[in-house]
Amino acid sequence: MRIIAPMMILIMMTSTLAGCTGGDPDSGGEMDSDAINDLIDANLQDFINNTTITVNQEIHHHYYNNTTTNDYTVEYNNTTVNEGDSIVNEGDDNNLNEWSNTSYNLGGANFGNGVNGTVSMGAGMMFVAHLEFTAMDLFPEYNADPTGDRDNIFTYSWSYYDYLTNSNRTDVFTFSCSEFYIIGSQSNNPNDQVSFWEDSSNYWDAWNNEYNSTIADLLLNASNDISIEVTCNENYSPYGGPIKYGDYGDSINFFNIVIPEGYAIEYIQLDTSHDYYGASSSYCYQFQGENGTLDGCWDSENYQQHQSSLYFNYSSGPDPSSRNTYYGGWENITVNFDFKFYGGVNDYVEEHFGNGNYGYGYSAIWPTSTYVFTLYYNFTPVIPVE
């Protein structure tokens, strides 16, 4: 640290008086101490007003081992900038704190399709991710005007085992929407003409007889695709039941956090809510089996207003509701947050309906669903040890 202090100024001023040692400057006699003090008092303020005092602060950190000396110089500015993944704290406008500067390069956060939110930073480098979104944000096509028609066509990609080639294949199939209207299609009694969405109990058998079990499975799964229902269901109603529920092997991502190498994440506080009008888990369930469908999610008599927590899966690390637990630092890590669905089967259902998919509506997405997700967290610098 190098400082030109006021004492140095006094020394310099005194040195300028060298030779003026007489009591009378013209007589060559010595000047007494009172005369010197009077001269300093008379000229000190003018000297200070025309003198620049420079404070040059350098902080050197030294690390020594048996073979190496590392010399790091930290220079301080004072600024605050937040640009994407780079967060730099800069000083205030009145330049009162120009000695303080800390620069952080931290991992970013992003949201899933249809989900909007904000990530902000507190004074203590704590982050908060706040998301508010609805089912209509996730499934905008579900709220479209009904355009279904049995004369429309649709395509569907399906993976299956082909015994003729003894191989697993994935192909794209094209069908007419009339496949969802074949039950009673040759009957003269309108009451016997039943679409898949009115009563699906006999459709798997009908498709199996018309084609084979592979196509029957394909059409059964395709019927759960919202875009296909909008295309084919002539009586489509966007508020006729849950949009999605059960365990069908896919997921919906709504939030991600990137933990950069050299930092560990610590979760501070988690608050979630899911508000919807629909059936509770005790009424909302479905089993799609090879012998038919057991369905309990479309009975509007069981619909009520509900509020519950937002259930989700996280791809790695501790439970986000945990405290005082650190994770990451050794490499760049992305933690994915996805909607959590439930599935299962019991002996009775399997015995009467055969093998298939069974789902609960415990965390179903309803057309009326609204979500709030708020997560506080921070990053702590760490040094990976190799």
Side-chain angles (χ1 to χ4, degrees):
M1 182 179 297
R2 299 190 301 275
I3 300 177
I4 303 175
M7 183 57 71
M8 292 295 296
I9 298 172
L10 293 177
I11 294 172
M12 293 171 62
M13 290 180 61
T14 304
S15 66
T16 63
L17 301 177
C20 299
T21 57
D24 182 351
D26 296 328
S27 64
E30 292 186 357
M31 182 180 290
D32 59 26
S33 61
D34 291 337
I36 294 175
N37 289 333
D38 290 341
L39 183 60
I40 291 175
D41 290 340
N43 295 278
L44 177 61
Q45 189 61 49
D46 289 339
F47 186 84
I48 292 176
N49 289 339
N50 292 282
T51 302
T52 300
I53 299 176
T54 302
V55 178
N56 189 356
Q57 185 183 57
E58 293 182 356
I59 300 176
H60 293 267
H61 299 279
H62 300 275
Y63 170 77
Y64 299 95
N65 59 23
N66 292 334
T67 59
T68 306
T69 299
N70 294 323
D71 190 353
Y72 301 94
T73 299
V74 181
E75 295 182 355
Y76 290 92
N77 285 319
N78 189 21
T79 55
T80 290
V81 176
N82 188 343
E83 298 180 357
D85 293 343
S86 178
I87 298 163
V88 180
N89 291 334
E90 300 184 355
D92 48 24
D93 294 335
N94 56 15
N95 295 322
L96 294 178
N97 298 306
E98 290 188 349
W99 52 268
S100 176
N101 167 38
T102 307
S103 178
Y104 300 88
N105 291 310
L106 299 183
N110 53 73
F111 313 114
N113 292 333
V115 179
N116 294 314
T118 60
V119 175
S120 58
M121 177 186 66
M125 287 303 297
M126 180 185 297
F127 293 81
V128 56
H130 183 69
L131 289 67
E132 295 184 13
F133 56 99
T134 70
M136 294 299 99
D137 295 325
L138 299 172
F139 298 94
E141 72 276 9
Y142 193 77
N143 204 24
D145 293 333
T147 57
D149 193 300
R150 69 186 67 195
D151 294 328
N152 291 337
I153 61 173
F154 67 93
T155 59
Y156 196 68
S157 177
W158 185 245
S159 298
Y160 62 98
Y161 170 74
D162 180 20
Y163 68 89
L164 292 177
T165 60
N166 192 25
S167 62
N168 293 311
R169 302 179 49 147
T170 299
D171 294 314
V172 177
F173 296 84
T174 300
F175 291 95
S176 168
C177 288
S178 61
E179 293 294 343
F180 297 109
Y181 296 86
I182 60 176
I183 300 297
S185 59
Q186 301 299 319
S187 174
N188 294 324
N189 185 352
N191 293 329
D192 293 333
Q193 300 173 9
V194 181
S195 73
F196 173 87
W197 293 281
E198 293 174 299
D199 183 359
S200 62
S201 58
N202 294 316
Y203 266 86
W204 191 93
D205 288 337
W207 290 326
N208 186 41
N209 291 332
E210 183 180 9
Y211 299 105
N212 53 47
S213 61
T214 296
I215 299 300
D217 291 339
L218 181 160
L219 292 171
L220 189 62
N221 277 268
S223 67
N224 290 288
D225 189 310
I226 297 300
S227 63
I228 292 178
E229 182 176 359
V230 170
T231 301
C232 297
N233 187 357
E234 296 174 344
N235 295 313
Y236 168 78
S237 171
Y239 299 102
I243 298 176
K244 185 171 181 58
Y245 66 106
D247 186 5
Y248 298 116
D250 54 355
S251 61
I252 300 175
N253 174 254
F254 66 91
F255 180 50
N256 302 303
I257 296 179
V258 177
I259 308 172
E261 181 178 355
Y263 287 88
I265 195 170
E266 179 188 16
Y267 298 117
I268 306 299
Q269 180 176 313
L270 174 67
D271 298 297
T272 69
S273 67
H274 173 204
D275 291 273
Y276 68 95
Y277 182 81
S280 67
S281 60
S282 59
Y283 294 107
C284 186
Y285 55 86
Q286 183 185 64
F287 180 80
Q288 295 179 330
E290 57 190 11
N291 297 323
T293 299
L294 175 66
D295 207 328
C297 288
W298 273 261
D299 188 352
S300 60
E301 293 182 359
N302 298 323
Y303 289 3
Q304 297 180 23
Q305 189 67 35
H306 296 276
Q307 183 180 61
S308 62
S309 299
L310 171 59
Y311 292 92
F312 58 87
N313 295 311
Y314 49 94
S315 60
S316 62
D319 189 325
S321 63
S322 63
R323 303 292 182 270
N324 301 318
T325 302
Y326 293 92
Y327 176 67
W330 55 90
E331 63 182 0
N332 292 330
I333 300 172
T334 300
V335 181
N336 303 308
F337 295 78
D338 303 315
F339 277 104
K340 187 176 188 178
F341 298 100
Y342 290 89
V345 67
N346 58 41
D347 294 338
Y348 172 83
V349 172
E350 196 169 55
E351 178 182 352
H352 289 80
F353 291 89
N355 296 320
N357 296 315
Y358 189 66
Y360 288 105
Y362 190 59
S363 57
I365 298 177
W366 295 82
T368 55
S369 290
T370 61
Y371 301 95
V372 178
F373 177 93
T374 305
L375 178 63
Y376 293 87
Y377 60 97
N378 61 29
F379 291 107
T380 300
V382 297
I383 300 176
V385 178
E386 297 181 358

